[in-house]
DNA sequence: CGAATACTTGAGTGGGGTCAACGCAAGTGG
DNA sequence: CCACTTGCGTTGACCCCACTCAAGTATTCG
């Protein structure tokens, strides 16, 4: 839970009361085995969820059986905030590693939002950043070479891990199989393997037994064409017109 | 404006007062020439925007100059609702055709949301569906053949045009150049051209002078692996636990 | 220690990219 | 009204990136 707090506190500390409320809202703890689905395409979304430990993947399975990973969820991420406006999942969320999540039923989230307006904005911001990550993912799969795609994926994951304090300088855990990297980048396992060897051979990274080490960040980021703007990491929240800020929504009857 | 109303009314009619409020909120009308940017990467988001006429593209320009279209905005779409939680655009929005938009400053949107809670949920839902479209776009660019990608793009655009009443049975305007289709699908212009000829040759569609006609919807959708679930077109809004419904957020000081 | 599971490697192939023309329609200006 | 331009669509030749198939080698785990 501390990890999520750290993310929410990017633009200012939470007070003790807000933390208490968050803990009380995300109260339903659930474990997931590797490969297990925490939410499944076609089913009702289970609730707003916070990942406490492990890594998840949003993915879609195409009619021909191919799998495309749409996003990777890291510890501290809060996702599916908005699930209450839709009644059916259009994709699945599965555990890439053993994982622990904390689920908040939408009724609880909405009560939280009503009682703590500032939290509601912070939570909303999480889903906005999530959308920005989706866009970056599109550009990655659409217009980059295999080499650049994987480099970009590593850049994103490293920066996001670092943002929640889960990275050493230029190193972090990355317990993903090459098949998973392929599903995330739209590449075949075989080609992922070859690109990894290139990246290692160029002295940019090493990746062994679930540990990623970046030996030359500048070069890796350059090869990836990585621009971290889209992670919206260190921006102030308010739009800065000096005005008092924006509520978002309030309530809805039926 | 009627087009946007039609979308918002998917799950129940708006009353006259709500329509009046929407009109008053989206008051800043702006025209865009073809190729002109209505929002630019690196700049501040201009406000929550409703597309009245024409077509827009969200796009990202990669360091090597390649362009990837992330989403196509159709008349009636309301987008960048959430821009107020970020201070800088991570992508651009440009006009694919001459376009007219109505912009609502975020202060106005927030006032609207406070006064009309039901509208705030409806607006939020638009951004949720937008995210679902982004995910489908990823799967399209990542794991489908060129043929299926273009077929899928046509399926999505046709269904969305139809949803706002801008389509005849199995036909709609689609004034996009082949270069644009390529930027949307991650393909080269040349290959787009060849795939189009295949699609025509197979008798699935015709596309000429900005008009798309679908001759065999079943076959096209099958070739695309198109599953319209992600457009969340005809779902009830509420999560159906029978409970009264979920407010979302309320206000934020800072 | 045996059995999965993951990772490597090689050989062959094809989808889609690039480059380079060319056709054609719609301006545009003299 | 015609020469010129500009933008878009079309075609051909060539090539390479990444896929597939297939087999073999490490790891990991029960």
């Amino acid at each position: 839970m501390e990890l999520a707090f750290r993310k929410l506190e990017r633009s200012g500390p939470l007070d003790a009361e807000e933390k208490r409320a968050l803990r009380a809202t995300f109260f339903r703890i659930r474990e997931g085995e590797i490969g297990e689905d925490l939410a499944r395409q076609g089913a009702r979304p289970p609730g707003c969820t916070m990942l406490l430990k492990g890594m998840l993947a949003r993915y879609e399975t195409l009619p021909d059986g191919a799998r495309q990973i749409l996003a990777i969820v890291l510890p501290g991420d809060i996702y599916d905030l908005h699930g209450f406006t839709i009644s059916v999942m259009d994709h699945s969320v599965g555990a890439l590693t053993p994982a622990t999540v904390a689920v908040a039923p939408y009724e609880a989230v909405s009560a939280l939002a009503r009682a703590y307006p500032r939290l509601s904005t912070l939570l909303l911001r999480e889903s906005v950043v999530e959308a920005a990550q989706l866009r970056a993912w599109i550009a990655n799969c659409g217009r980059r070479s295999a080499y650049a795609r994987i480099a970009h994926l590593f850049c994103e994951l490293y920066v996001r891990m670092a943002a929640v304090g889960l990275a050493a300088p230029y190193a972090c855990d990355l317990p993903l199989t090459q098949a998973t990297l392929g599903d995330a980048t739209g590449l075949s396992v075989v080609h992922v393997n070859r690109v990894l060897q290139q990246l290692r051979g160029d002295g940019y990274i090493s990746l062994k037994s679930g540990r990623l080490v970046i030996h030359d960040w500048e070069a890796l980021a350059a090869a990836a064409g990585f621009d971290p703007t889209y992670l919206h990491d260190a921006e102030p929240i308010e739009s800065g017109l000096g005005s008092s800020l924006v509520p978002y929504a309030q309530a809805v009857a039926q």
Side-chain angles (χ1 to χ4, degrees), chain A:
Chain A
M1 206 86 132
E2 301 308 318
L3 295 176
F5 290 166
R6 189 188 300 229
K7 278 189 67 183
L8 295 175
E9 285 180 318
R10 267 174 304 195
S11 48
L14 299 169
D15 61 38
E17 173 61 14
E18 286 170 327
K19 289 186 183 177
R20 190 207 52 74
L22 280 168
R23 271 189 250 269
T25 304
F26 290 84
F27 61 88
R28 192 182 293 160
I29 303 297
R30 189 176 158 198
E31 309 276 334
E33 276 320 301
I34 197 166
E36 187 182 342
D37 281 339
L38 297 174
R40 194 167 286 142
Q41 198 162 3
R44 171 177 299 288
C48 183
T49 308
M50 177 190 290
L51 178 59
L52 302 178
K53 204 159 68 66
M55 293 176 62
L56 313 180
R58 291 171 183 286
Y59 68 92
E60 187 168 319
T61 306
L62 300 191
D64 66 354
R67 187 170 112 124
Q68 173 68 48
I69 291 181
L70 311 166
I72 289 184
V73 183
L74 300 183
D77 283 351
I78 297 171
Y79 66 93
D80 274 359
L81 172 60
H82 42 262
F84 65 82
T85 61
I86 58 170
S87 57
V88 52
M89 294 284 297
D90 52 56
H91 62 283
S92 299
V93 180
L96 296 174
T97 70
T100 310
V101 299
V103 181
Y106 293 119
E107 298 77 32
V109 177
S110 82
L112 180 76
R114 217 174 309 123
Y116 301 88
R118 199 171 73 113
L119 285 184
S120 87
T121 300
L122 292 175
L123 291 177
L124 179 65
R125 184 196 169 84
E126 293 305 303
S127 76
V128 170
V129 172
E130 196 185 314
Q133 287 171 15
L134 289 176
R135 284 190 293 265
W137 210 275
I138 292 174
N140 207 34
C141 290
R143 281 295 187 202
R144 263 190 265 262
S145 70
Y147 191 87
R149 274 185 226 187
I150 297 206
H152 195 273
L153 179 63
F154 289 162
C155 287
E156 170 174 329
L157 292 176
Y158 168 69
V159 168
R160 287 173 57 200
M161 288 292 270
V164 284
L166 287 179
Y170 300 112
C172 66
D173 286 332
L174 200 71
L176 306 181
T177 69
Q178 297 182 356
T180 301
L181 295 175
D183 288 340
T185 50
L187 299 169
S188 69
V189 197
V190 174
H191 202 61
V192 167
N193 182 282
R194 291 186 167 122
V195 168
L196 285 177
Q197 290 177 51
Q198 275 185 266
L199 282 165
R200 285 190 272 246
D202 291 343
Y204 293 178
I205 62 152
S206 49
L207 175 61
K208 225 188 108 188
S209 49
R211 183 88 183 160
L212 171 71
V213 181
I214 299 176
H215 297 117
D216 188 340
W217 170 259
E218 294 300 335
L220 185 70
F226 180 71
D227 172 1
T229 309
Y230 73 96
L231 295 171
H232 297 285
D233 220 2
E235 289 170 33
I237 284 272
E238 49 105 36
S239 49
L241 291 175
S243 65
S244 81
L245 250 199
V246 264
Y248 183 57
Q250 200 169 29
V252 65
Q254 156 48 316

